[in-house]
Structure formats: structure tokens, C-alpha cells
Amino acid sequence: MTSEDDLPVKKLFLSPPSLAELATSISAGLSINFSSSSCTIETPPDLTLSPFHLAGPGLTGSTRVVEVGDRSYLVKRDLTRKYDLRAVARQIDMNPSTGLLIGAGAGPFFVLGQNSELMPNFAYGIAAGSDVESVRNRTHYAKLKPDGSVQCSALPSTSDFGLMANLFCSDGEVGPCLHIRAKSRTGALNFTETIQQALKTSFGDKLISVGGVFVITSGKVDVHVMPDFPAQPFKDRAAVAKWLRHFDMDTGNGEPLVCLSVLHSGDDGGWGLRVEHTHCFTESSDSHTDKGGHYHYDVDDTKDTVEYHAWFNVAEYVYRVDPPT
Ligand code: ZN
């Protein structure tokens, strides 16, 4: 049997623009698409706190993005594709003594008994002079219930996932990041597309990979949740798109959507990277909520009142784990 640590891994060193250059670019892009916006370089507050709820306090140190598995494994219904965030951390040469992995993926169907959306949010650390690892796992998943409604719950008990994931990884240390605010959408692009378009305008084909967290505190958002697997593989990706269930999720009432995001701009040199992947969850004192899944865009009905608040950082490396052959 092949161990998860033996999966094929590809690695690419990026030479990203400075945070200052990125902030200038993203500021210009946001101003075209939102009536009020800013992108500055700041050190975030402790991101483990509300409203961000990350498993680690920051997004700095040994930054890298990784795409694990592939969308085609869902199309083929390849249920042999099982992964583990802890193994991924080793495969992509993360700091063994501290790390944070956040992003968007497919839930561990082999643990949960059905398919789901996953919001990986996993930190580990080993204190100096100790060999005991501490883990903080604030991963959530969103699934369809038998009545067709959504259930979003914490999944602290496992670091497993299936099929695919796009992850932004770092030491989880607190340090300078891109601080982005955008309010009242005036253009056609969604929040992540606005950032991608800005980077493309400024830097053309240069591959730039960023990731982080944003909260949507006002407005309604189009989110999809995957149903359980069908009995047979899909005909093609279009058939998958038809099978997904879409919901308008309201972010008001003091229940912001927390979105974990990875995106790329530029030419990936034939790697076939997924250019954007963002999953969201709601944190609640109850055991679950009815809001979470795959972020698409804020809906036009609430574009005047929609409000985004983000902390992002730029990756130094891109990794691909277990790509299709
Ligand atoms: Zn997704």
C-alpha cells in the first residue's frame, strides 16, 4: 500500500511582487468594482479571535499554496483519493514546529459517510524544548441533510479529507499582510475576481498566488454545497455543475460568513491550477448552523450593502500534490 507521504509532489518557486506593489495593484482594482475600498499593509490582530476564527494567529512565515488532488477525481467519482492535512504539511516542506493550513476542499467522505464541502482550518505547534505536538483544528464542513437543507458543523476530530483541496499554508505567525476592505459593489466582478483582475492588470502573466481569510458581514451570497455522490461517475464537468445545490445565504444577523480563500493570477506554465477556490463557514455556539459551503459571489440584490473584510498574504512557493497523470 502507498503511504500518503509517497504521493507525487511538484514544486515551483515564485518570486512574488512586494506587499507594497500588491497593495497598490489591489487598491486600484477594488476602486473600480466597489464604491468604498482599501488595501493596505498591516499586521493583523490575533486571527484566532472573532470574526475570523482561524486555527492560528497569523498568515506569515514560509508561505506556500498547494493544490492537492484534482477536480477530475470528483468527475470520475474516484473514491480512492483520500488525503490528510498532516501528511500534506510534510509533503510541502512546512516548518515542522509550527504551521497553519486553511482553504477549500472536499470533506472526508470515508469518515463522515457522505460527501461534503470542507473548510480546512488546521494549526499545529511544538513548543521550544518540547517534543509534544499541540494541534488546534477548527475545520468545518457543510453537507446536505436528507431534507435538502444545509448543515455546517465543526470537524475537530480528523485532519482527513477527500478528492481535492486548495490550501494557503504558512508558519501561522503574526506579521505584515494585505488588509483589504470593500463595501458596496458597483461592478460585475465578485470579491476574489476583483483581486485576480487587479493582479492581471498590474503583473500580466506573472504567476502570483495569494490566500487568506475574509469575512462577509453584510449581504447575501451565492454558495453551493455538493450532494452525496451519485451511483455512477459524471459524464463531464458540466454534469457536476448541474448536480451542485445552490443557496442564497444571508450574512446579516451577526452571523458573518468566514471565507477561506486561495487564488492565482497569471500563467501557471501548464500546471492546470484551479485559479480560485473559496469555502465559507459560520461559527456558532450551537453545534451547527445552516450556512457554509463553496463561495461563488454576493448576489445583485444586496450589492449596495455587501461588505468584505480580508487578511491575505502572498505565497513564496506553489506545490501540487497527487495531480492527475
Ligand atoms: Zn469548492
Side-chain angles (χ1 to χ4, degrees), residues 41-301:
I41 306 165
E42 285 174 58
T43 298
D46 181 349
L47 294 175
T48 64
L49 302 176
S50 181
F52 297 102
H53 302 288
L54 294 190
L59 301 169
T60 296
S62 317
T63 55
R64 52 206 64 214
V65 295
V66 56
E67 180 159 345
V68 184
D70 197 69
R71 274 183 291 187
S72 65
Y73 301 157
L74 172 62
V75 179
K76 292 178 191 154
R77 199 184 174 282
D78 182 351
L79 305 187
T80 67
R81 305 292 169 163
K82 301 176 184 179
Y83 307 107
D84 175 8
L85 295 170
R86 289 167 176 271
V88 169
R90 291 190 293 271
Q91 285 154 351
I92 64 170
D93 314 314
M94 285 181 70
N95 187 336
S97 56
T98 176
L100 169 66
L101 304 91
I102 59 171
F109 51 87
F110 45 98
V111 174
L112 296 169
Q114 78 171 78
N115 191 23
S116 63
E117 306 289 337
L118 195 73
M119 292 56 100
N121 188 7
F122 184 89
Y124 59 87
I126 299 170
S130 159
D131 55 4
V132 182
E133 186 186 56
S134 66
V135 161
R136 180 187 254 171
N137 189 354
R138 301 178 96 175
T139 296
H140 283 67
Y141 70 105
K143 67 172 183 180
L144 285 188
K145 294 196 285 187
D147 67 4
S149 64
V150 174
Q151 178 182 314
C152 179
S153 307
L155 187 60
S157 55
T158 179
S159 52
D160 290 333
F161 63 102
L163 299 175
M164 63 179 120
N166 298 82
L167 303 167
F168 180 85
C169 309
S170 69
D171 292 345
E173 305 286 1
V174 177
C177 287
L178 297 169
H179 186 206
I180 306 172
R181 284 182 179 274
K183 201 171 164 179
S184 187
R185 184 168 55 79
T186 52
L189 301 181
N190 73 16
F191 183 67
T192 52
E193 285 168 342
T194 301
I195 296 170
Q196 288 173 303
Q197 181 63 50
L199 298 176
K200 193 179 169 204
T201 301
S202 301
F203 306 105
D205 282 343
K206 183 179 177 61
L207 180 61
I208 301 170
S209 305
V210 302
V213 58
F214 62 88
V215 293
I216 311 171
T217 50
S218 174
K220 281 188 185 153
V221 181
D222 181 285
V223 171
H224 85 229
V225 175
M226 294 189 288
D228 201 7
F229 297 114
Q232 301 295 328
F234 296 92
K235 202 172 117 245
D236 49 25
R237 206 187 279 173
V240 173
K242 242 188 232 172
W243 160 81
L244 298 170
R245 290 286 315 281
H246 284 257
F247 300 86
D248 276 3
M249 295 190 179
D250 196 348
T251 67
N253 311 318
E255 282 187 337
L257 273 184
V258 186
C259 302
L260 309 176
S261 185
V262 174
L263 52 93
H264 305 278
S265 165
D267 182 352
D268 71 5
W271 273 34
L273 294 170
R274 186 170 189 159
V275 295
E276 188 266 336
H277 205 182
T278 303
H279 280 189
C280 57
F281 66 94
T282 36
E283 179 70 26
S284 162
S285 49
D286 295 333
S287 59
H288 30 253
T289 73
D290 60 357
K291 295 187 191 93
H294 175 115
Y295 163 87
H296 284 267
Y297 49 82
D298 60 274
V299 304
D300 282 346
D301 282 358

